[in-house]
């Protein structure tokens, strides 16, 4: 069975600091997808990124960057120059390819960015 | 384009009652999935519907059921409510389901007293 571990539960930083959110996953599948979602206080989860298991190229999108390493089964997320609006709960998730796939979430990391 | 709409936003019920939650997906989306979020268990997959058929189901008791209508709107029903059913229930939609990105609603906060 798949498992996603987000060892950090709460992180507090001061605005403009960089922050990295860790994610480690366990899977027996060779083809799978990894996701990051953000949940602001309003409740709805917002999609941030999806990577498939064959694409280890790291990605940068504005202040966000992702580091995917299959060798360590990690998919970490970094926010550069954090802002107060980044305060939210961040979830890492795994989904296998194929029929009957379902999204398995980590427990989430609560990020607080203080002004 | 309107987002995913869930109603009601808040619900208070007592043990033993049943409840029905509603979800309207983004127009054109045919897949609707449901998740339960609690402080202890986190986000857990309940089930997914695609074109009115349940395509996948999580590890929840039979008291949890759902359905999807021809317009892709979905309802989730919980019968014989227990205190442990208190949770935020989130609905998500996507065009085809599977490993696509999901669009979530704001959820229904259910409190069972």
């Amino acid at each position: 069975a798949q498992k996603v571990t987000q060892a950090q539960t709460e992180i507090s930083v001061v605005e403009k600091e960089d922050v990295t959110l860790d994610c480690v996953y366990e899977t027996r599948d060779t083809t799978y997808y990894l996701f990051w979602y953000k949940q602001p206080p309003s409740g709805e989860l917002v999609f941030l990124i999806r990577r498939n298991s064959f694409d280890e190229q790291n990605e940068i999108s504005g202040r966000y960057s992702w580091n995917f390493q299959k060798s360590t089964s990690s998919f970490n997320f970094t926010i550069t120059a954090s802002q107060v609006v980044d305060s939210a709960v961040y979830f890492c998730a795994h989904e296998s390819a194929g029929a009957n796939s379902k999204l398995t979430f980590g427990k989430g990391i609560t990020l607080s960015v203080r002004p | 384009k309107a987002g995913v709409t869930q109603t009601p936003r808040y619900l208070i019920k007592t043990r033993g009652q049943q409840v029905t939650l509603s979800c309207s997906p983004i127009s054109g989306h045919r897949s609707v999935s449901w998740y339960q979020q609690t402080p202890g268990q986190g986000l857990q997959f309940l089930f997914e519907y695609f074109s009115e058929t349940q395509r996948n189901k999580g590890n929840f008791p039979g008291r949890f059921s759902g359905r999807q209508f021809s317009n892709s709107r979905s309802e989730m029903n919980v019968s014989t409510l227990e205190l442990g059913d208190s949770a935020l229930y989130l609905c998500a939609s996507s065009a085809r389901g599977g490993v696509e990105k999901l669009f979530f609603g704001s959820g229904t906060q259910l409190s069972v007293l």
Side-chain angles (χ1 to χ4, degrees), chain A residues 1 5 9 11 31 39 43 45 48 50 52 91-92 101 109-110:
Chain A
T5 301
T9 54
I11 299 175
T31 304
Q39 186 177 37
L45 273 76
L48 295 175
R50 181 187 76 164
N52 72 53
F91 292 94
C92 180
S101 64
I109 302 170
T110 300

Side-chain angles (χ1 to χ4, degrees), chain B residues 9 13-14 23 25 27 31 38 47 52 54 58 74 80-82 99 103:
Chain B
R9 186 73 176 92
K13 291 286 187 179
T14 56
C23 172
S27 178
S31 169
T38 60
F47 28 65
E52 302 179 66
Q54 187 181 87
S74 177
T80 319
L81 284 166
E82 301 177 359
V99 292
F103 295 83

Side-chain angles (χ1 to χ4, degrees), chain A residues 11-23:
Chain A
I11 299 175
S12 182
V13 300
V14 176
E15 206 169 18
K16 298 183 183 176
E17 280 186 30
D18 298 347
V19 58
T20 295
L21 311 182
D22 298 333
C23 173

Side-chain angles (χ1 to χ4, degrees), chain B residues 2-21:
Chain B
V4 178
T5 304
Q6 290 189 247
T7 57
R9 186 73 176 92
Y10 301 95
L11 207 48
I12 299 176
K13 291 286 187 179
T14 56
R15 277 182 301 174
Q17 287 187 309
Q18 75 163 22
V19 67
T20 299
L21 312 182

Side-chain angles (χ1 to χ4, degrees), chain A residues 32-33 35 37 39 41-47 50 89 91 95-107, chain B residues 9 35 37 39-45 48 55-59 88 90 98-107:
Chain A
Y32 54 89
Y33 291 78
F35 300 79
Y37 282 88
Q39 186 177 37
S42 54
E44 83 283 7
L45 273 76
V46 177
F47 168 84
R50 181 187 76 164
V89 182
F91 292 94
E95 185 165 5
S96 302
N100 300 322
S101 64
K102 56 185 178 183
L103 207 51
T104 299
F105 285 92
K107 289 293 180 73
Chain B
R9 186 73 176 92
Y35 293 83
Q37 185 176 22
Q41 298 299 316
L43 277 158
Q44 293 185 287
F45 171 78
E48 181 201 359
R55 191 155 69 174
N56 203 354
K57 189 176 188 303
N59 298 322
L88 178 66
L90 291 162
V99 292
E100 293 185 308
K101 73 177 188 180
L102 299 178
F103 295 83
F104 282 82
S106 296

Side-chain angles (χ1 to χ4, degrees), chain A residues 8 23 25 39 46 63 66 70 72-73 88 98 105 110:
Chain A
Q8 305 151 310
C23 173
Y25 62 93
Q39 186 177 37
V46 177
R63 296 186 298 108
W66 290 270
K70 284 180 74 172
T72 57
S73 297
F105 285 92
T110 300

